[in-house]
Amino acid sequence: MAAGQRRGRSARALGLAPSIRALAPGGGAAPRPPDDRPVLRLAVSKGALAIELGEPFALGPLRVTELVVRLAGIRFPVDLSGGVARFRHRRGQLVRLSVEAQGTELAGWAAPRLRGLLGDGAPQLIIAPIEDGALVALRSGEAALAFDVAVAPAERALRLLPERARGIGLAAPPHALALQALSMMAGAHGRLVEGAIVLDAAVERIVRLLLPAAGARAPAVEGAQWAVVSAEAGRFRAEGALGAAPPALGDRALRALEVAELAGAADELASAGGLDEARRAYLAALERAPRHPEISSRLAWLDLVIGERAEGALSTVVDAMPAVDAGLLGGALLEAVGDRDGAFSALARAAHAEPYGPLAALAWLRAAALADAVDVRLDALNLGVARAPGIEALRWARLDARLDVADVRGALADAEHLEASARGAEARHAVSRRAAEAFLARGDVADARVLFERALRYAPESPDVVAGLARSLRAAGEGRRALDLLARARALAARSGAPACALDLELGRGLAEIAGDLPAAIARVRGVPPGVPEALEARLLEGRWCAGLGDLGGASVALGRLRDAVELALQGRADDAGPARARGAPFGDGAAAVAALLAEAAEIEERSRGDLLAAQRHLGLALRLRPRDPGITAAFRRVSGEIARPIAPAPAAPPVPVERPRAAEQRIEVHVAAPRRRTLPPEPVVVAPAPNKPPPGPRAPAAPPKAAPVDPGIIDEMPTLDGTDTSTDLTAPIPSSVTLAEGQVPLARAFGVDDELLAERLADRLRADPADQAVAMALADALERLGRDLDLLALLSARMEEGDDAVRQEVAPRRRSVLARLAVRARAEGRASEAELYEMLLQSELA
């Protein structure tokens, strides 16, 4: 620098200092910008003059490395001082052409042309060389497609034939999408012919683009054809020569040409969207080539995409190959028919064999969703992340799986990776918030708090994140601070105009459970308008807290609004689809939660107000949403039984004992016919005379004895008798001790015992021995005669649940009859919702 100053030139006088990159060895010289015109030169070889390409020239994604055009009709000696310009107007003959393309450059050029094929934007595209062709793979979100392309040159044209197309998350058959992708990449240069994309006159197109750009005349190409088409080290290369022999096709190209000849018409129809016509064409191709693996796969993919044809598609695949060897197709079909273990095995094999990393990773993600064991699911997700670390769905799934096995450190690592991969403050805020919700749901309050605070770093005015931080603080025991944050979140939501119903519920719970201010909590939830998803829970909380304050009227009004909202939603669905299809439909997956709300409302009505009818209506609606819930069913039976139970009369005076006639000395036999329902064969009932009594004197003829009332205390000892067929000695007095068994009802009634007393005694016997089916059926007969259908329904339902197959087969017809009577009676009395409940239960019995 001192020498420079002595010469009078300071460093500042030189202008801007050179960059560090320019000072590096070899970095000072800027690369020469590419020339937009090809460089041509003259060449003399073997007594002929030719024009050659001086250096490689790029044509889009292609790179022309060699071009030789022979100029005929030139006699030597000739003046070459004018260079190429002297001969540019002469028409020559193409002798040799060599073209190359890098896979990465080709993919970068073609990706924008595939916009909208798998998603809204341009997909991630990979084009890699394989034997006799190329692997083309693309992904957009959680949808991926991969297929092989066999290249079959034909004179001056190139034929591109897709095969082995497979994918995940696709809305069309993979082979049809592969044809569409090749057609979109080829553009106007290619056309679809019998399942192949044909690049017509590829040699002419190249020379007609290159030579005129250099100011020379395009040569003649007759007799020139492709001689070599090869792929190696990430580069595709094609050579054409004058009079060259056609190249020998490989096995892949030969197989692809045969399949195109068989199924080309079907491929064209599938690519155009005519799936039904394509299916018929594929079936015709299978008739010509039975059990062809490639054609069978294309037909099965088509049936899988159409839907509800999984069994037929699986049969098509199994005829050609084992289902577990059918790759992603086999896994999807086995999953569709319910074979989760087979689907997992097929997906695992496909993922191991798949060369395209993102598609293999998505296969592992699908396999992990089929695994029941957490460790198996976590292993599959680890393998998927190893194949494609950048797929967000895999990271989120592994984060959840790691939290399930309490691997907090690993889950935090996944959350940090997702945040680092996100671009922009909004995306990072969404990642931190979602991760915080996942940690909070698993009870990891400390890490959830940290993640919520990190989310607030990117969006400090987000009411949802402030509310999430409040929930984490509340779970950590900091209730007062949580209540303040909830109030701030509500204010932020009101300021931004965002929906605040969920925050009102949270704030109401906080006021009730933390501050103990039930009136303020009621005011919060009462402000939740009807029609929003939070309205049902708000009405339940309002009713619960009103009952806690002693405002039973307000509680009844709130719970009535809850019931009316559910009935309105169910009625709207029933008007469109019929009552049989309305179960839970308006609420989707939340039907169980709504049923739980109704069950709690019924409990409040019964416990606080003693209103059994309102509780029954709540439970009836809950049963319409969850007809097989055992808790709701038991509560409905109990409440219905309480409603149907008559009021017990005042205790009457004890009956005056009546002297029983003494039994005769002789043996009395009562022959009993087989009853309608019997578990043991009939046999004579022997009634012995009363013990320790003196023998009677001579008996005088007398009228038949009158039936005397029987003490209710010995009803349990009455004999079995069928009123339709009896034979007994009428001259014998009434026995003093008999045994109650099945079929005793007519005898009991003949002795003056009414059905009410008989039902009470039979119920006591059944409670003492619940497994006695004979007593249960006798009680059912008594209840049916009394018209106590609700009690009868409860009895028969309990027998069906607790009994074996034989008991259920015996009880089911009677239960259907009771349900039909109850439905008719309820509809006649104007109780439409109750009638619909009975009709729904009856339809479930008949289904």
Side-chain angles (χ1 to χ4, degrees), residues 444-634:
D444 191 350
V445 179
D447 291 314
R449 176 176 178 177
V450 172
L451 289 169
F452 275 124
E453 291 171 349
R454 187 180 299 174
L456 284 176
R457 177 194 310 168
Y458 301 110
E461 300 296 323
S462 173
D464 294 332
V465 177
V466 174
L469 180 59
R471 290 197 301 270
S472 62
L473 289 174
R474 180 181 176 185
E478 302 181 27
R480 298 295 177 181
R481 175 61 178 158
L483 199 57
D484 292 341
L485 286 176
L486 283 174
R488 178 170 176 251
R490 180 64 178 82
L492 290 173
R495 186 187 311 165
S496 61
C501 297
L503 291 174
D504 283 333
L505 286 182
E506 289 285 343
L507 191 55
R509 288 195 193 94
L511 290 170
E513 299 171 7
I514 299 173
D517 191 352
L518 291 183
I522 292 172
R524 281 290 179 186
V525 299
R526 190 169 285 175
V528 177
V532 298
E534 295 83 4
L536 299 180
E537 188 175 0
R539 300 291 85 80
L540 174 68
L541 293 176
E542 181 184 351
R544 180 197 298 171
W545 294 334
C546 285
L549 286 175
D551 183 8
L552 301 183
S556 178
V557 170
L559 298 178
R561 290 175 180 170
L562 167 65
R563 184 179 64 244
D564 293 342
V566 178
E567 284 182 341
L568 184 62
L570 288 175
Q571 185 63 37
R573 177 65 178 177
D575 292 341
D576 297 335
R581 296 178 55 190
R583 281 178 274 176
F587 309 104
D589 296 336
V594 176
L597 296 179
L598 291 168
E600 185 178 351
E603 183 181 356
I604 294 173
E605 292 279 11
E606 181 182 5
R607 183 183 67 249
S608 301
R609 301 182 61 249
D611 191 345
L612 296 179
L613 290 176
Q616 185 188 40
R617 289 189 64 186
H618 284 298
L619 292 171
L621 281 178
L623 272 180
R624 292 177 65 181
L625 294 172
R626 302 282 290 175
R628 299 190 181 278
D629 190 296
I632 297 175
T633 304

Side-chain angles (χ1 to χ4, degrees), residues 343-344 347-348 362-371 377 380:
F344 182 89
L347 290 171
L362 291 175
W364 282 121
L365 178 62
R366 181 73 62 85
L370 297 174
R377 183 166 73 251

Side-chain angles (χ1 to χ4, degrees), residues 171-177 180 265-283 298-299 301-307 309:
H175 191 78
L177 289 176
Q180 293 177 17
D267 294 338
E268 291 185 22
L269 290 170
S271 178
L275 299 185
D276 292 333
E277 295 82 358
R279 189 178 191 280
R280 288 191 289 269
Y282 279 130
L283 287 174
R298 295 179 190 180
L299 175 59
W301 273 116
L302 188 145
D303 284 337
L304 180 63
V305 169
I306 291 176
R309 299 180 181 180

